[in-house]
Amino acid sequence: MPPGPRRSTAALRHRDFALFWWSSLVSNSGTWLQNVAVPFVVFRLTHSPAWVGFATFAQFAPGVVLAPLAGSLADRFPRRSVLLVNQTLLGLVALALWVEWVAGWTSPWTITATVAVSGTIASMGIASWQAFVSELVPREDLLNAVILNSTQFNAARAIGPAVGGVVLGGLGPGWAFLLNALSYGVVVVALGFIRLRRPAADTSARIGIMREFASTIRYVRGKRGIVACCTLITAVGLLGSPIFSLVVVFADDVFSVSGTLYGLLSACLGIGAVLGAPLIASRAPGIRRSRLVAAGLLGYALALAAFGAAPSYWFGVVCLLVAGGAYLAIASTSNTTVQLQVDESMRGKVMAFYLMTFTAAIPIGSLVQGWTTQTFGPRQTTITAGLLLAALVTALRVTGRLAAMDEEGPAWGERSPLVDGGEVLPAAVAVLEDGAPATRRARLQQRDDPAGPQLEPAADRVDDADRR
C-alpha cells in the first residue's frame, strides 16, 4: 500500500482492532480526564509541587513491583479475560474516588491512597493491553496498529484534559471522577464483541513467577534491540514524563492560568501527537526505526527545554504541541520494535518488563522533579531535564547503540531457537554468558549424534539455567 491516508489507517480495516481502538479512546479519555483532575485537586489542597510528585509516585510505583505478575498473567491467561476483569475493577475504583469527593472525605492522603489502588490495578493489565494488539491484526499491519494504538492514547491525552478544563472550571472535580468511572464500561462492552484472530495465550502450567521473570531478564539481555528500547523509555520516564504532572505548576505559578486554559495546556501533548500521527503512520514504514526514534527523542528533549524557558503561555503551548508529536514517534517506534523482535511465547512477559522500566522511571523522576521544582523552580528543572535528555540521545546515536532496533525478530508465531515453551533454554544462557554460538553447537551435536535427544525435560532445563 503506498504512503498516504489509507496506509496511515490500515489497521482500522480490521473489525476487532477498530472496536478495541474506539472503545479504548473513550476509556483513556476518561482516564486522562481524571489524571488532570487529581494533580489539580492535590495542588489546590497543598500548593506543593512535591505533593503532586508524590501522588504521581504512588500511582506508578506499584507497577514496578507487580510487573513480573502482570507479565505472567498476560501469557498464562487469555488476554481479553484479563482486560475484562482489569477494566471492571478500575471502573469501581474511579467510582470510589467520586464517592469520596461527594461525601467530603477528600484530603491529599485519601486521594493519593485511592490513585495508588488504581495504579496497582492498572499495572496488572497494561502488559495484556499492549500484547493484545498483536492478536487483532496480521503481522504486516502490526506497525500501523501500534502507531494507531499510540495515536489513540495520545488523542485521549488531548481529549481528556481539554474536557477536564471545562469540567473542572464549570462542574468541579467530582464530575471528572464520575465520567471516568462510566468510560470504563465502554471498553468492557467492546471486549465482549471482539472475535480473536488467534489463541490469546498459552494457559498450560509454567514455572514459578519469579523464576519466569528471571528467565525473561536473561532473554531480554540477548535482544540488543529490546535493550535499546528499554534504555530509551527509561530515560524518557526519568527526565521527560514528569512534565505531565508539572503542567499544573506551570499553569498556576508561571503562566497564572486555570480552568480551560489549564486544560488546554495539559491537552497540548496529546493534540501534538494527534496532529503528527498521520505523517508518522504513513512515513514510518519507510524510515529506519533507529533513525526515527533518535529524531523523535531529540525533538522531544529540545521542545521540553524550550517549554521550560517559554516567555509566554502561547509559546509554551507551541512547545508542548511539538513535544507531543515527538513523543508519539518515540513511544510507537519503541513499542513496535519490541513487538517485532520478541517471540510470541515471551510476548506478555517481555512487554511487562519493558513497561516496568518505564513505570519504574516515572515515579522516581516525579519524586526528584517534584523536589527540584519546589527547591529550584519549574523552569530550571524542566530546562535541565530537556538538555540531559538531548545529551543522552546524542551519545546513543553517536556510539551506534540504537542500530539494533532495526533488526527483525522471528516470523509471526515462530519460536526463536533460544526459547521453548516460554522458557529460555540453557543454550540461550550460554550465549548471554560467554557470547559463544551455543545454538549452533547444539545443532552440530545433533548432526553428529542424531539419535540422542537434545532437549531435557522442562524442569531440568530451568534448574540448569538457574544454576548457571
Side-chain angles (χ1 to χ4, degrees):
M1 186 182 296
R6 290 187 62 194
R7 183 174 183 174
S8 67
T9 58
L12 287 174
R13 293 183 289 113
H14 304 286
R15 169 190 174 274
D16 292 331
F17 180 77
L19 274 174
F20 187 62
W21 194 91
W22 286 107
S23 62
S24 299
L25 177 62
V26 175
S27 180
N28 284 326
S29 295
T31 299
W32 276 102
L33 174 59
Q34 178 173 298
N35 286 346
V36 168
V38 168
F40 179 84
V41 171
V42 170
F43 193 66
R44 289 297 187 198
L45 291 172
T46 64
H47 206 74
S48 168
W51 253 108
V52 175
F54 177 67
T56 304
F57 172 86
Q59 181 176 353
F60 287 98
V64 181
V65 179
L66 297 173
L69 178 57
S72 292
L73 286 175
D75 282 339
R76 290 174 184 236
F77 300 99
R79 291 160 188 158
R80 177 170 59 179
S81 300
V82 174
L83 291 176
L84 281 168
V85 174
N86 183 261
Q87 296 296 295
T88 300
L89 292 176
L90 283 172
L92 292 176
V93 175
L95 193 63
L97 198 56
W98 173 73
V99 171
E100 289 177 14
W101 181 266
V102 172
W105 301 335
T106 306
S107 73
W109 286 108
T110 57
I111 292 176
T112 301
T114 306
V115 297
V117 173
S118 178
T120 301
I121 297 171
S123 69
M124 300 296 288
I126 192 168
S128 296
W129 189 288
Q130 296 289 339
F132 189 56
V133 173
S134 69
E135 299 176 26
L136 305 178
V137 296
R139 182 180 177 87
E140 60 268 20
D141 287 331
L142 179 60
L143 172 59
N144 184 253
V146 171
I147 291 175
L148 287 175
N149 194 46
S150 296
T151 303
Q152 167 268 124
F153 179 80
N154 284 285
R157 194 166 63 178
I159 296 170
V163 173
V166 176
V167 171
L168 290 174
L171 301 173
W175 277 96
F177 303 144
L178 179 60
L179 290 173
N180 181 40
L182 296 175
S183 73
Y184 286 107
V186 177
V187 75
V188 168
V189 172
L191 286 168
F193 282 99
I194 288 176
R195 300 189 298 267
L196 300 181
R197 302 177 63 88
R198 296 179 298 279
D202 179 6
T203 58
S204 59
R206 291 175 179 265
I207 59 177
I209 290 173
M210 294 312 298
R211 292 173 74 183
E212 259 190 350
F213 186 63
S215 72
T216 301
I217 295 175
R218 291 193 290 267
Y219 174 85
V220 169
R221 285 173 55 200
K223 298 282 189 177
R224 296 183 306 148
I226 298 178
V227 171
C229 292
C230 291
T231 302
L232 289 176
I233 210 70
T234 299
V236 172
L238 280 172
L239 299 170
S241 290
I243 188 61
F244 300 154
S245 57
L246 291 179
V247 165
V248 66
V249 181
F250 271 88
D252 194 89
D253 288 353
V254 177
F255 301 131
S256 300
V257 299
S258 60
T260 303
L261 290 179
Y262 161 58
L264 175 61
L265 197 64
S266 297
C268 281
L269 286 165
I271 294 172
V274 173
L275 293 176
L279 178 63
I280 295 172
S282 62
R283 300 296 178 182
I287 303 174
R288 285 188 299 174
R289 292 192 294 271
S290 60
R291 181 174 297 177
L292 181 60
V293 79
L297 194 54
L298 185 60
Y300 184 77
L302 296 178
L304 198 65
F307 176 73
S312 67
Y313 171 85
W314 292 108
F315 188 91
V317 165
V318 173
C319 292
L320 291 185
L321 289 173
V322 174
Y327 187 87
L328 175 63
I330 301 166
S332 59
T333 306
S334 298
N335 193 313
T336 300
T337 300
V338 176
Q339 295 268 23
L340 289 175
Q341 294 189 358
V342 70
D343 297 87
E344 181 60 34
S345 60
M346 298 291 290
R347 187 177 302 277
K349 293 183 288 295
V350 171
M351 289 306 299
F353 180 83
Y354 166 71
L355 295 167
M356 183 194 74
T357 62
F358 187 51
T359 54
I362 290 177
I364 295 172
S366 296
L367 277 180
V368 172
Q369 292 195 26
W371 175 80
T372 56
T373 296
Q374 186 156 315
T375 304
F376 303 105
R379 289 190 181 276
Q380 294 85 342
T381 296
T382 307
I383 292 172
T384 302
L387 294 179
L388 287 175
L389 201 56
L392 175 64
V393 67
T394 302
L396 290 173
R397 182 68 173 169
V398 169
T399 57
R401 297 294 180 88
L402 301 181
M405 294 180 64
D406 299 323
E407 299 172 1
E408 294 300 328
W412 199 256
E414 233 180 48
R415 284 176 180 165
S416 164
L418 304 184
V419 179
D420 181 71
E423 303 164 21
V424 178
L425 298 178
V429 181
V431 169
L432 300 180
E433 290 182 348
D434 61 22
T439 54
R440 182 172 178 269
R441 291 201 305 269
R443 287 196 297 271
L444 291 174
Q445 291 170 6
Q446 187 173 15
R447 184 190 65 186
D448 295 336
D449 184 16
Q454 299 300 314
L455 292 179
E456 304 164 354
D460 294 337
R461 293 199 305 271
V462 174
D463 289 341
D464 186 55
D466 287 342
R467 285 196 297 272
R468 290 173 182 266

